[in-house]
Amino acid sequence: MREKWIVETKKGDFDSLARRLGVSPLVIRCMINRGLEEESDMRQYLQGTVADLPDPLQMKDVDRAVQILLQAKKQGWKAAIASDFDCDGIFSGYLLWRAFGRIGLDSRIFTPDRVREGYGLNERIIDEALEEGRSILVTCDNGIAANEQVAYAKERGMTVIVTDHHEVQEEMPLADAVVDPKQEGETYPFDGLCGAGVAYKLICALYDICGIPPAEKEEFLEYVAIATVADVMELRGENRILVREGLRRLSGTANCGLQALMEVQGLQGRQITAGHIGFILGPCFNAAGRIATVKESFDLLMEEDPETALERAEQLKKINEERKQMTEEGADKAYRLVEERREGGTEETDGKLPDILILLLPDTHESLVGIIAGRVKERYHHPVIVFTRTEEGLVKGSGRSIDSYHMFRGLMKCRDLMVRFGGHKMAAGMTLRERDLSELERRLNEESGLTEEDFCPVVHIDAPMPVGYVTEQLIRDLSRMEPFGVGNPKPVFAEQHFQILAGYRLGREKNVLKLRVKNDRGNTCDAMLFRGAEDFDRFVVREWGETELKRMYEGKENYLDVAFTYYPSVNEYQGIKRIQIQIVGYCRISRKGRKD
């Protein structure tokens, strides 16, 4: 898939801002490229702490929710926490359970069965809670679309608090308090929190009113960080502070279960990054809710015995390994479906794909369709919805989108086809009748509003930068921009002409590519490609032939002349530090400057 490389050319007073903020002018350029124009915004971006977070009482209905909880405690009521089975739901529920216990409010977490019941609040949860004498219901990471279920709980005499972060649909649930920064009339200055972030703000207000020391609130930041990254929220504004502060605490966590999970994953004693959450820790918690039971995750978080915690962590790791294997098999099937569609097109389509890809994988585990949709979206850069068959006549789907397509709005136009539905701009989940799939595909594609340019991924280059410019100090300055992720991407730099001096395959599966490269100025360094080594080989063969690929791996002189987009880093081995680059993308650029 070809990429469109664009060098950002935004203007700014780089040098003077750099002097005042104590960073490289290149960091100032990168911050301006990310929309930070005022010095005060840059200072908070670099130095913001929990003291800079907005007052939770600014969020609509937080004060009302706190009063309800305090009244419930006073009356001796018991609470039911209606959570979800993904990472955000797990940590939202765990936070509320811990906080309610701290103020003396008896509570238990209830979650839906992913396969039998699907996402969100349901009547079974309400009935079970009532049977246990629980008269207050608090949702987390769900509830904003559960109008019928909230009404059912109210009819049965329950007091209901909804905490959620998803988009509001046609009507609000008639709960006693609704805490969701996306609701109409909201006064809170940041609407990008995940479900655990919203729960955390409620807890902060509750603790403040109860006079609980601030340090106890801050103990929860590590959990909010995991949920925020795992739920792929934008790492801007308040989220950036929550995640950065949470990551600082995570390596030294007092939670026995998290300690055990980091140990079995080889992360013990390391500084945890957003990448470790996104690719290692978060998927383990998600996997339990996908192919086992969410109870496995809650049991690990609540475990206080180190030996038992290690056993539970090993089990969670094993579940995730099984999930990864099932995902690979499902993704391969999805890729074949896409290629069959491309090859089976008409003369008019000329091998082009539909704007919105609708794929049915009838035998795939329904908990994996979202991950598979994400894989297909990454490979083809089209919005994708992957469906699987569930009960008789119904299919359940999960969608992932690209920046230029608002999936929630597109699907809202097809709301009449849905049995259940929810989501936001970049992702959505839904259930509908299988006979309506073709109609859904027709409508979405007819009204997509997408053009061919939208299907070409754009790589925004922060600055052209020869590798000889990179120093350890510059890398330290760039690290102050962490945590990186959605909304705060890792800076990307570029240089046009590299000779490939040698190539090596690394890793247990030989899927990591290490290149020794030299630029036109004679600077040499290692270049690492951590994903897509096979794709790079195919690129070399396509551009220069099999012989040149062989010569590259033999370390012999060859004709390869490659442009890289990259991020610089330091590799330390046996006490020796070397600057290297992490390859983001590559292409062949002619010496006249034309990208081939």
Side-chain angles (χ1 to χ4, degrees):
M1 182 168 56
R2 300 283 184 176
E3 296 175 336
K4 184 177 181 180
W5 291 4
I6 296 176
V7 178
E8 297 288 351
T9 57
K10 295 177 181 176
K11 305 298 182 183
D13 190 0
F14 305 129
D15 291 334
S16 62
L17 283 167
R19 284 193 298 272
R20 292 197 294 274
L21 294 172
V23 293
S24 163
L26 188 63
V27 174
I28 301 297
R29 179 186 292 273
C30 292
M31 287 194 290
I32 289 174
N33 288 344
R34 281 150 188 74
L36 299 168
E37 297 178 354
E38 301 298 327
E39 182 175 344
S40 58
D41 294 333
M42 293 181 185
R43 194 173 297 278
Q44 180 161 323
Y45 176 91
L46 294 170
Q47 303 169 8
T49 68
V50 290
D52 299 305
L53 297 179
D55 183 343
L57 290 175
Q58 288 183 256
M59 194 177 294
K60 191 175 180 182
D61 266 13
V62 162
D63 56 345
R64 172 122 181 89
V66 167
Q67 293 306 317
I68 291 171
L69 292 169
L70 293 177
Q71 182 68 16
K73 174 197 170 184
K74 184 178 180 181
Q75 296 292 334
W77 294 355
K78 295 181 180 180
I81 300 167
S83 183
D84 191 22
F85 36 63
D86 70 355
C87 197
D88 191 16
I90 290 165
F91 283 94
S92 302
Y94 177 70
L95 285 173
L96 291 175
W97 176 78
R98 281 270 305 269
F100 291 170
R102 177 65 176 84
I103 68 166
L105 176 62
D106 181 291
S107 69
R108 184 163 87 81
I109 300 169
F110 295 78
T111 57
D113 182 283
R114 184 162 201 153
V115 174
R116 289 188 293 107
E117 298 174 322
Y119 166 84
L121 181 64
N122 60 56
E123 293 186 6
R124 189 267 307 167
I125 288 174
I126 295 165
D127 291 341
E128 283 191 14
L130 286 167
E131 286 171 11
E132 293 184 9
R134 300 185 182 276
S135 51
I136 180 169
L137 175 68
V138 184
T139 76
C140 53
D141 191 35
N142 73 87
I144 200 66
N147 296 14
E148 293 179 9
Q149 292 78 15
V150 169
Y152 177 75
K154 292 292 295 174
E155 287 169 7
R156 298 209 57 190
M158 297 189 86
T159 299
V160 181
I161 298 172
V162 167
T163 78
D164 201 351
H165 72 117
H166 292 96
E167 300 278 357
V168 179
Q169 296 190 22
E170 289 97 335
E171 296 178 0
M172 292 272 288
L174 296 177
D176 296 274
V178 177
V179 182
D180 184 333
K182 290 189 173 72
Q183 65 179 299
E184 187 177 350
E186 182 57 70
T187 55
Y188 196 71
F190 184 72
D191 69 354
L193 295 168
C194 69
V198 175
Y200 175 70
K201 301 305 290 193
L202 174 60
I203 292 166
C204 286
L206 181 64
Y207 275 28
D208 287 345
I209 291 173
C210 290
I212 296 173
E216 293 194 41
K217 294 185 294 188
E218 293 175 13
E219 290 175 5
F220 291 151
L221 287 168
E222 60 196 51
Y223 308 113
V224 179
I226 294 173
T228 301
V229 174
D231 214 42
V232 201
M233 306 309 294
E234 289 194 349
L235 299 186
R236 59 182 178 85
E238 184 167 357
N239 280 346
R240 176 173 169 76
I241 295 174
L242 292 171
V243 173
R244 184 169 59 196
E245 294 294 324
L247 289 173
R248 287 177 181 169
R249 290 164 171 80
L250 193 52
S251 299
T253 180
N255 185 285
C256 201
L258 286 180
Q259 289 175 354
L261 186 60
M262 288 190 285
E263 181 175 341
V264 301
Q265 293 289 7
L267 298 177
Q268 195 173 41
R270 297 174 64 179
Q271 179 57 52
I272 305 301
T273 68
H276 291 135
I277 293 174
F279 295 103
I280 300 175
L281 300 177
C284 286
F285 287 103
N286 273 324
R290 291 184 189 280
I291 63 174
T293 67
V294 73
K295 184 176 182 297
E296 305 263 4
S297 293
F298 284 118
D299 286 346
L300 178 66
L301 288 173
M302 296 174 181
E303 184 57 60
E304 296 181 354
D305 176 68
E307 289 188 11
T308 307
L310 277 173
E311 293 173 5
R312 294 192 187 283
E314 288 284 4
Q315 177 63 14
L316 219 57
K317 181 181 178 182
K318 181 180 177 181
I319 292 169
N320 190 45
E321 293 298 325
E322 181 183 353
R323 188 274 309 166
K324 286 195 284 188
Q325 180 60 36
M326 293 167 65
T327 300
E328 291 298 330
E329 294 170 0
D332 287 341
K333 291 178 183 177
Y335 299 150
R336 286 196 294 272
L337 281 178
V338 175
E339 291 304 324
E340 287 170 7
R341 183 165 296 187
R342 191 202 302 274
E343 293 166 5
T346 64
E347 289 185 11
E348 289 79 13
T349 60
D350 191 28
K352 294 178 182 177
L353 295 170
D355 292 355
I356 318 293
L357 292 171
I358 305 293
L359 306 175
L360 176 62
L361 302 177
D363 301 319
T364 297
H365 197 288
E366 66 181 62
S367 68
L368 303 179
V369 291
I371 304 175
I372 295 169
R375 295 282 189 88
V376 176
K377 186 263 292 189
E378 290 298 322
R379 176 168 288 199
Y380 296 100
H381 203 69
H382 278 246
V384 181
I385 306 176
V386 176
F387 288 91
T388 189
R389 289 195 181 108
T390 54
E391 54 194 286
E392 185 66 30
L394 295 180
V395 290
K396 184 175 289 187
S398 187
R400 299 294 183 271
S401 196
I402 58 179
D403 286 339
S404 51
Y405 183 71
H406 199 300
M407 182 164 280
F408 180 81
R409 291 175 186 165
L411 288 167
M412 278 296 286
K413 297 176 183 177
C414 306
R415 186 72 176 85
D416 60 299
L417 299 177
M418 307 295 176
V419 175
R420 287 186 294 273
F421 162 66
H424 49 81
K425 177 182 178 181
M426 300 302 289
M430 68 221 73
T431 299
L432 63 153
R433 291 171 289 276
E434 185 172 349
R435 66 172 185 265
D436 290 331
L437 270 181
S438 58
E439 176 66 9
L440 177 69
E441 182 172 23
R442 183 188 69 79
R443 285 202 218 169
L444 289 177
N445 279 284
E446 280 185 359
E447 300 184 32
S448 75
L450 295 168
T451 66
E452 281 303 309
E453 280 196 7
D454 294 319
F455 306 129
C456 180
V458 176
V459 177
H460 294 277
I461 297 168
D462 286 285
M465 184 168 69
V467 293
Y469 183 79
V470 180
T471 64
E472 287 187 35
Q473 181 58 52
L474 176 63
I475 292 170
R476 283 193 291 271
D477 281 355
L478 290 170
S479 71
R480 293 184 62 185
M481 297 180 63
E482 295 179 4
F484 298 124
V486 177
N488 185 44
K490 185 177 286 189
V492 175
F493 308 105
E495 188 168 6
Q496 289 191 0
H497 298 290
F498 284 98
Q499 297 176 50
I500 310 296
L501 304 178
Y504 314 89
R505 287 292 192 97
L506 306 175
R508 186 175 58 186
E509 299 177 6
K510 301 297 181 184
N511 57 351
V512 175
L513 179 61
K514 178 180 179 180
L515 302 174
R516 189 67 183 167
V517 301
K518 182 171 75 172
N519 67 4
D520 281 355
R521 302 182 184 200
N523 304 119
T524 60
C525 69
D526 291 332
M528 305 297 298
L529 184 64
F530 292 102
R531 292 178 63 186
E534 296 289 343
D535 291 336
F536 185 83
D537 286 357
R538 285 191 285 269
F539 159 72
V540 170
V541 171
R542 185 180 72 241
E543 297 292 341
W544 292 280
E546 289 275 3
T547 300
E548 296 306 300
L549 178 67
K550 182 179 179 183
R551 294 181 70 83
M552 180 192 84
Y553 279 117
E554 291 174 347
K556 295 179 179 179
E557 187 175 349
N558 55 69
Y559 290 106
L560 274 59
D561 180 1
V562 185
F564 289 129
T565 51
Y566 71 89
Y567 179 78
S569 63
V570 174
N571 178 43
E572 185 170 358
Y573 180 68
Q574 295 183 340
I576 299 173
K577 293 182 178 181
R578 289 191 176 91
I579 289 172
Q580 66 181 20
I581 62 173
Q582 298 174 13
I583 299 170
V584 177
Y586 49 83
C587 71
R588 181 177 183 177
I589 296 180
S590 71
R591 286 287 168 172
K592 293 180 181 179
R594 182 176 60 83
K595 185 174 171 181
D596 297 331

